[in-house]
């Protein structure tokens, strides 16, 4: 809720695009009253409520956990809800849809392809040792949990995809977020699905497409370090390639 | 208009909806489950739950303890047979989540850890640091992708149910991305659309929490039960309403006023111990703590912040290492949104609306009075929370009753005939009505303005303490807003990603839910749990009000409020007390039982 004591305004330059009326995206400018505690998301909400009801953007939790409001703010992939105007003053602030994704309207981009990538890597436990509920929980020590904990913190906000030059060049690249999720399950002591997942990322759009820029980890709002996930998978994939060679030899 | 034929339709893909979809897919593998979410499922507001989920697991705990805490916490307005079922199934569900990969925090030996929580006698709150809801939601979403028979409709918004021949036969959904409608026919429908906290001004809820499913069921003749009971969470950031979990107090955080005084001792929650004991002081229930804040504010003992009055939540004595391990999200939120590092300073907090205890009337099988319609999670009133929900009973509820709803809907669908041909005509009529709103030329009012007025009025009339005239005023304000809503003007007439249009439809849902809340509140002339009055009805009145309220929708008029008896099986209404008095009363009850 904007502070009504706001004394000053800031300019937001927002990339607008409506497929039914526009041939190409163009910037629109808005002056928004702002206070020190106001986020970019709150500024967008203020614009939508009072200046232009047609402005389209996704948001929900406004506390940096649902992952809905990723967008380019002054050229950087950010969550609008925890990017504050005080850090961008005096402005103007440029707001654009997440880079590397098709624009559907204004700040709304296509998410479906990213979700399909997540679904492709078997994002669930394939139990090493099946257990019934009656038998209780698996044991997992804090250090075993540590092996995958940071990868489990990914909120699927796609900022890493917006930052990734390889994804920008090749939209079929599996990308950092899906690799982090793969690593989250493959590093879980309860899981036995490592081989199935490695087979998913062996191809030309898989782990080897990564050019190790590392910017995905820099822009991650949750310190997930997807670059680390990719690296671990390169090692696993290389080892797997080596071992599969051995396996084939032993068969012949 | 597209048509899609499913066997089971689940509306909402948060914790309850996903759990229902998985249960339906498991119990009827040959059936098609359509899973509709107005956002991508991992954005659902379950994602923001922090503290944890209840399930008896310790040797020194018992199902009876969990039952008694829940019924007492709910001020005896709970369906006790349902509470018994609930407490008996929580732990199974927590284990199931663990098997599916939920990263519950662990003890050094690898067993799951549990933390203290408000109103709970023994530690039984399973937690994944302070991102419990986030991990539960992502675990359920990712697990759901194993089931090919779950056909997801991500980012589809429900505009109405299809009801014919006395039973629900599906729903019409709108894709914001295209502006096109799809009629999903189904033999059974599970409503799992979450709460309605956004009808209040300061709240912890995400923007999507607009009571859609409650309003839809309500309009189709299903009563909303116990809607006057709205939970204020005692520790939220002033202004934004961002939740600072009860898990903080579970880990030992203290609440102090501007004089650095642990004021809860003045409100029947003492005596003071250095670390709060279960059911004492900071580990009292949410309604009592929110009420204590209100009293402190009246006494002028709160801290003034630019966003309003606050008290201080002090975590400093926990130390940086423990905070990082147990409460990392809270540290992040406090730094980002309040400019406070909890390692070195106390966090200013105040109550904000958090949870709707009431919802769609359902029985122990999650069945509503409308044939084929089931409901689970916050949108439902299955009867376990009564007049005040205990922290960590909600995440458990999503899984316990989400599973029940999925199984029951599948069983109903097996026996039910397919949707009849008339459903197509009804679907087209629903589409026409939604399109009419898009073209409506009103008198120029934006719906955003109406929404703000509604939220301010609800806060004023139906807040932590309530007065008859103020509730009456809120009822009148909502009625006027409903009139003005008829003429609301959209600025955006396009079909693609018209969130102005969706927002307007959501406001219609919100107004119906708000009206049910305000009228149910006005009709309850007593104080119980989260419903506290200061106008001569400041005591619990079991003689006249030991009953649920039912709000019945009336087209063009205020809802009709009736009473429904409460099912009491084994815990007669007693005095609800915490702190030292609570301990004495419990000892006396034990003696009486053993005498």
């Amino acid at each position: 809720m904007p502070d009504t004591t706001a004394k000053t305004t800031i300019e937001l330059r927002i990339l607008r695009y409506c497929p039914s009326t526009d041939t190409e995206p163009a910037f629109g400018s808005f002056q928004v009253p702002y206070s020190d505690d106001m986020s970019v998301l709150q500024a967008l909400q203020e614009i939508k409520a009072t200046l232009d009801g047609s402005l389209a953007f996704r948001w929900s939790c406004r506390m940096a956990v649902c992952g809905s409001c990723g967008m380019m703010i002054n050229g950087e992939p950010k969550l609008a809800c925890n990017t504050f105007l005080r850090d961008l003053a005096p402005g103007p602030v440029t707001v654009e849809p997440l880079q590397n994704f098709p624009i559907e309207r204004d700040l709304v981009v296509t998410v479906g392809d990213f979700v399909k990538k997540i679904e492709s890597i078997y994002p669930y436990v394939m139990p090493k040792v099946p257990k019934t509920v009656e038998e209780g929980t698996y044991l997992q020590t804090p250090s075993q949990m540590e092996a995958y904990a940071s990868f489990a913190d990914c909120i699927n906000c796609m900022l890493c995809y917006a930052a990734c030059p390889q994804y920008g060049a090749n939209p079929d690249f599996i990308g950092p977020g899906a690799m982090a999720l793969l690593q989250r399950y493959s590093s879980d002591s309860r899981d036995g699905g490592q081989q199935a997942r490695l087979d998913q990322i062996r191809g030309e759009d898989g782990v080897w497409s990564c050019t190790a820029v590392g910017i995905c980890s820099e822009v991650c709002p949750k310190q997930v370090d997807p670059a680390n996930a990719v690296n671990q998978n390169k090692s696993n994939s290389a080892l797997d390639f080596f071992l599969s060679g051995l396996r084939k030899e032993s068969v012949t | 208009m597209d048509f899609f034929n499913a066997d089971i339709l689940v509306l909402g893909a948060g914790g309850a909806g996903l759990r229902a979809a998985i249960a339906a897919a498991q119990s009827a593998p040959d059936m098609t489950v359509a899973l509709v979410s107005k956002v991508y499922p991992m954005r659902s507001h379950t994602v923001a739950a922090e503290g944890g989920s209840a399930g008896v697991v310790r040797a020194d705990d018992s199902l009876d303890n969990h039952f008694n805490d829940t019924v007492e916490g709910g001020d005896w307005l709970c369906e006790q047979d349902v509470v018994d079922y609930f407490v008996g199934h929580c732990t199974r569900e927590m284990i199931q989540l663990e098997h599916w990969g939920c990263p519950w925090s662990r003890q050094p030996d690898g067993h799951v850890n549990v933390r203290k929580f408000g109103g709970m006698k023994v530690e039984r709150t399973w937690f994944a640091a302070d991102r419990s809801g986030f991990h539960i939601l992502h675990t359920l979403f990712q697990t759901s992708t194993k089931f090919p028979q779950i056909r997801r409709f991500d980012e589809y918004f429900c505009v109405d149910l299809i009801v014919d021949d006395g039973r629900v036969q599906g729903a019409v959904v709108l894709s914001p991305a295209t502006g096109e409608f799809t009629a999903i026919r189904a033999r059974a429908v599970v409503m799992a659309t979450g709460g309605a906290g956004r009808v209040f001004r300061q709240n912890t809820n995400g923007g999507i929490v607009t009571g859609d499913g409650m309003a839809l069921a309500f309009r189709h003749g299903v009563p909303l039960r116990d809607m006057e009971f709205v939970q204020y969470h005692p520790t939220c950031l002033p202004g934004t309403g961002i939740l600072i979990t009860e898990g903080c107090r579970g880990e030992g955080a203290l609440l102090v006023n501007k004089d650095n005084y642990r004021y809860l001792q003045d409100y029947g929650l003492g005596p003071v111990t250095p670390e709060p004991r279960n059911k004492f002081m900071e580990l009292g229930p949410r309604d009592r703590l929110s009420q204590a804040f209100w009293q402190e504010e009246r006494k002028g003992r709160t801290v003034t912040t630019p966003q309003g009055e606050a008290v201080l939540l002090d975590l400093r004595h926990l130390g940086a290492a423990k905070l990082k391990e147990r409460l990392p999200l809270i540290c992040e939120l406090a730094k980002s949104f309040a400019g406070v590092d909890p390692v070195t300073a106390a966090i200013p907090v105040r109550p904000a609306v958090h949870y709707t205890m009431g919802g769609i009337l359902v029985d122990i099988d999650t069945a509503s009075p409308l044939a084929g319609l089931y409901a689970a999670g916050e949108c439902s009133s299955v009867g376990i929370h009564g007049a005040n929900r205990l922290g960590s009973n909600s995440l458990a509820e999503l899984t316990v009753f989400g599973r029940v709803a999925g199984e029951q809907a599948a069983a109903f669908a097996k026996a039910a005939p397919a949707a009849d041909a008339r459903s197509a005509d009804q679907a087209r009529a629903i589409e026409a009505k939604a399109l009419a709103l898009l073209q409506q030329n009103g008198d120029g009012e934006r719906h955003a303005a109406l929404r703000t007025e509604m939220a301010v009025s609800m806060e004023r009339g139906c807040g932590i303490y309530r007065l008859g005239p103020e509730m009456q005023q809120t009822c009148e304000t909502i009625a006027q807003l409903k009139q003005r809503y008829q003429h609301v003007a959209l600025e955006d007439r396009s079909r693609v990603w018209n969130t102005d249009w969706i927002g307007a439809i959501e406001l219609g849902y919100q107004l119906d839910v708000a009206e049910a809340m305000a009228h149910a509140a006005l009709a309850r002339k007593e104080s119980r749990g989260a419903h506290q009055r200061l106008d001569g009805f400041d005591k619990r009145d079991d003689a006249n009000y030991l009953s649920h309220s039912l709000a019945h929708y009336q087209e063009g008029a205020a809802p009709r409020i009736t009473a429904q008896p409460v099912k009491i099986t084994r815990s007669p209404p007693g005095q609800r007390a915490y702190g030292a008095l609570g301990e004495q009363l419990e000892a006396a009850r034990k003696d009486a039982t053993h005498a």
Side-chain angles (χ1 to χ4, degrees):
Chain A
M1 172 141 321
D3 183 352
T4 47
T5 60
K7 293 175 281 297
T8 178
T9 64
I10 192 165
E11 184 192 353
L12 268 72
R13 296 178 66 249
I14 303 174
L15 196 67
R16 304 297 303 272
Y17 170 70
C18 180
S20 57
T21 52
D22 303 334
T23 48
E24 58 181 30
F27 281 99
S29 171
F30 298 92
Q31 291 287 337
V32 186
Y34 100 95
S35 58
D36 260 5
D37 59 346
M38 203 166 165
S39 64
V40 171
L41 175 62
Q42 285 171 315
L44 295 174
Q45 289 167 330
E46 182 68 11
I47 291 166
K48 189 168 178 69
T50 60
L51 301 172
D52 185 348
S54 73
L55 178 65
F57 53 95
R58 289 187 182 100
W59 69 281
S60 180
C61 79
R62 86 278 182 241
M63 52 188 274
V65 74
C66 80
S68 302
C69 67
M71 48 191 75
M72 307 302 287
I73 297 170
N74 286 350
E76 302 272 327
K78 293 275 194 189
L79 297 176
C81 67
N82 74 347
T83 303
F84 294 92
L85 294 172
R86 62 175 176 262
D87 300 322
L88 308 170
V93 178
T94 306
V95 185
E96 298 159 282
L98 268 188
Q99 202 166 274
N100 299 337
F101 292 93
I103 304 174
E104 293 188 3
R105 179 176 179 175
D106 295 345
L107 302 170
V108 176
V109 297
T110 302
V111 177
D113 172 64
F114 163 73
V115 174
K116 280 199 182 75
K117 287 185 161 81
I118 284 181
E119 292 176 292
S120 75
I121 54 95
Y122 309 118
Y124 40 82
V125 170
M126 300 183 185
K128 219 185 271 179
V129 185
K131 230 179 173 181
T132 63
V133 166
E134 287 68 27
E135 292 169 288
T137 58
Y138 293 92
L139 288 180
Q140 187 171 67
T141 62
S143 67
Q144 285 176 313
M145 208 164 103
E146 204 52 41
Y148 71 88
S150 74
F151 301 130
D153 286 340
C154 168
I155 61 171
N156 300 342
C157 66
M158 315 188 312
L159 298 194
C160 54
Y161 284 74
C164 174
Q166 185 55 27
Y167 181 68
N170 171 22
D172 292 331
F173 172 44
I174 184 90
M179 291 298 301
L181 187 63
L182 181 147
Q183 198 57 16
R184 174 261 172 273
Y185 281 104
S186 286
S187 312
D188 190 321
S189 58
R190 295 165 290 192
D191 180 78
Q194 290 79 1
Q195 189 62 50
R197 291 190 202 96
L198 274 181
D199 292 345
Q200 283 293 303
I201 54 164
R202 195 180 287 180
E204 59 185 33
D205 299 323
V207 66
W208 297 102
S209 287
C210 166
T211 50
V213 177
I215 194 163
C216 50
S217 294
E218 282 173 40
V219 302
C220 176
K222 294 287 163 181
Q223 294 81 50
V224 170
D225 201 1
N228 177 20
V230 175
N231 275 334
Q232 289 189 35
N233 277 293
K234 281 182 177 171
S235 314
N236 294 341
S237 186
L239 182 65
D240 181 56
F241 181 74
F242 173 72
L243 291 175
S244 67
L246 288 183
R247 279 198 296 269
K248 281 187 195 120
E249 281 169 30
S250 62
V251 170
T252 49
Chain B
M1 158 169 258
D2 290 333
F3 288 85
F4 182 85
N5 291 322
D7 297 293
I8 299 150
L9 165 61
V10 180
L11 291 167
L18 286 163
R19 187 66 189 88
I22 293 169
Q26 285 179 321
S27 66
D30 53 343
M31 285 190 170
T32 304
V33 181
L35 177 60
V36 172
S37 171
K38 67 176 172 176
V39 290
Y40 278 92
M42 66 290 215
R43 319 289 188 215
S44 307
H45 201 61
T46 304
V47 82
E50 294 167 355
S53 179
V56 168
V57 68
R58 277 171 53 137
D60 60 346
D61 199 6
S62 69
L63 297 181
D64 275 353
N65 282 337
H66 191 188
F67 172 92
N68 286 326
D69 288 345
T70 300
V71 171
E72 183 187 5
D75 223 347
W76 277 272
L77 204 68
C78 307
E79 296 292 281
Q80 294 186 8
D81 57 336
V82 185
V83 176
D84 258 324
Y85 181 87
F86 169 67
V87 301
H89 288 78
C90 290
T91 306
R92 291 185 58 86
E93 286 297 328
M94 297 310 106
I95 295 168
Q96 179 62 78
L97 284 168
E98 194 276 336
H99 287 190
W100 285 335
C102 186
W104 296 122
S105 294
R106 305 277 178 161
Q107 301 170 53
D109 69 357
H111 284 95
V112 166
N113 204 353
V114 283
R115 66 163 43 128
K116 295 176 174 174
F117 235 66
M120 298 284 193
K121 186 183 172 199
V122 182
E123 292 83 333
R124 64 174 75 101
T125 298
W126 299 46
F127 63 100
D130 54 355
R131 299 189 183 102
S132 306
F134 165 83
H135 284 302
I136 288 172
L137 183 70
H138 280 249
T139 298
L140 286 170
F141 170 61
Q142 289 156 14
T143 301
S144 78
T145 66
K146 271 202 299 201
F147 298 93
Q149 59 273 59
I150 297 176
R151 173 70 165 61
R152 287 208 323 270
F153 289 77
D154 294 341
E155 290 192 322
Y156 279 78
F157 178 72
C158 184
V159 294
D160 206 351
L161 298 173
I162 299 169
V163 179
D164 193 22
D165 195 26
R167 64 190 176 100
V168 69
Q169 302 198 19
V172 176
V173 297
L174 162 65
S175 161
T178 61
E180 299 298 328
F181 292 80
T182 304
I184 302 176
R185 296 177 170 126
R187 294 176 164 91
V189 175
V190 176
M191 200 62 97
T193 52
R198 281 260 151 189
V199 304
F200 285 78
R201 189 177 68 96
Q202 281 202 70
N203 66 76
T204 67
N205 291 189
I208 57 177
V209 188
T210 48
D212 307 6
M214 291 180 188
L216 286 169
F218 188 41
R219 291 172 189 177
H220 283 280
V222 180
L224 296 181
R225 181 165 69 181
D226 293 343
M227 291 302 285
E228 64 272 39
F229 298 104
V230 176
Q231 179 162 84
Y232 272 78
H233 193 292
T235 61
C236 311
L237 296 181
T240 59
I242 286 171
L243 173 70
I244 303 297
T245 176
E246 192 161 291
C248 295
R249 285 169 282 129
E251 297 294 344
L254 307 176
L255 268 174
V256 298
N257 66 14
K258 71 171 188 190
D259 306 319
N260 203 30
Y261 172 70
R262 286 172 69 190
Y263 60 91
L264 293 172
Q265 62 191 289
D266 296 355
Y267 302 97
L269 289 155
V272 172
T273 48
E275 184 174 337
R277 292 167 55 199
N278 287 324
K279 299 180 84 164
F280 284 74
M281 292 296 291
E282 287 83 356
L283 292 173
R286 291 173 179 177
D287 54 348
R288 293 287 168 90
L289 266 62
S290 295
Q291 289 149 20
F293 170 89
W294 188 96
Q295 303 280 4
E296 283 295 290
E297 186 176 13
R298 288 276 292 251
K299 292 173 185 169
R301 304 201 302 193
T302 45
V303 178
T304 304
T305 79
Q307 296 82 15
E309 293 300 298
V311 285
L312 296 167
L313 184 71
D314 194 344
L315 295 128
R316 288 174 298 177
H317 55 288
L318 301 182
K322 190 165 188 179
L323 286 171
K324 186 169 177 287
E325 180 210 340
R326 298 289 175 89
L327 299 163
L329 181 64
I330 292 308
C331 295
E332 194 186 302
L333 293 172
K335 280 184 215 158
S336 278
F337 294 95
V340 170
D341 181 352
V343 176
T344 55
I347 311 170
V349 293
R350 59 166 296 129
V353 163
H354 182 56
Y355 187 84
T356 41
M357 260 77 72
I360 299 164
L361 170 67
V362 294
D363 63 15
I364 193 165
D365 295 323
T366 72
S368 82
L370 175 60
L373 182 70
Y374 298 81
E378 195 178 354
C379 74
S380 72
S381 170
V382 72
I384 59 172
H385 303 311
N388 170 65
R389 173 174 74 78
L390 290 188
S392 78
N393 269 354
S394 177
L395 288 174
E397 175 189 26
L398 302 182
T399 54
V400 171
F401 291 104
R403 178 189 55 78
V404 173
E407 289 172 359
Q408 293 289 330
F412 185 92
K414 277 178 194 165
D420 54 48
R422 282 179 307 190
S423 65
D425 299 338
Q426 202 182 123
R428 288 193 181 89
I430 292 167
E431 176 187 41
K433 192 177 161 203
L435 286 170
L437 174 65
L438 182 63
Q439 300 308 332
Q440 186 166 287
N441 284 308
D443 57 8
E445 269 196 296
R446 295 170 190 264
H447 55 83
L450 303 187
R451 184 176 294 106
T452 304
E453 282 186 49
M454 169 190 70
V456 169
S457 175
M458 287 301 288
E459 194 167 86
R460 188 172 299 138
C462 298
I464 295 173
Y465 282 102
R466 299 164 175 185
L467 297 163
E470 289 187 351
M471 287 185 276
Q472 183 65 50
Q473 181 58 57
T474 295
C475 290
E476 286 163 21
T477 301
I478 304 293
Q480 288 158 8
L481 289 170
K482 284 181 82 165
Q483 286 300 317
R484 287 158 60 192
Y485 176 74
Q486 297 303 318
H487 311 287
V488 83
L490 297 188
E491 284 172 88
D492 189 350
R493 306 267 185 228
S494 61
R495 291 288 281 268
V496 173
W497 275 109
N498 186 337
T499 49
D500 196 28
W501 185 22
I502 306 262
I505 300 171
E506 282 175 337
L507 178 61
Y509 295 150
Q510 288 180 298
L511 286 166
D512 281 353
V513 172
E515 193 167 41
M517 285 174 173
H519 282 271
L522 188 60
R524 183 173 288 275
K525 295 185 170 64
E526 64 154 356
S527 289
R528 184 186 298 270
H531 176 72
Q532 293 292 318
R533 295 182 66 146
L534 293 170
D535 51 356
F537 303 109
D538 56 341
K539 295 274 186 295
R540 201 175 83 192
D541 177 2
D542 288 344
N544 295 301
Y545 288 98
L546 183 60
S547 54
H548 299 291
S549 71
L550 296 178
H552 307 265
Y553 182 76
Q554 301 192 108
E555 182 79 41
R560 193 166 48 87
I561 307 295
T562 61
Q564 181 201 39
V566 180
K567 187 154 194 176
I568 291 167
T569 56
R570 63 195 184 93
S571 171
Q575 190 184 347
R576 183 172 172 236
Y578 293 87
L581 178 59
E583 206 168 39
Q584 285 163 27
L585 289 171
E586 195 190 353
R589 272 201 295 271
K590 262 204 186 113
D591 291 346
T593 318
H594 296 304

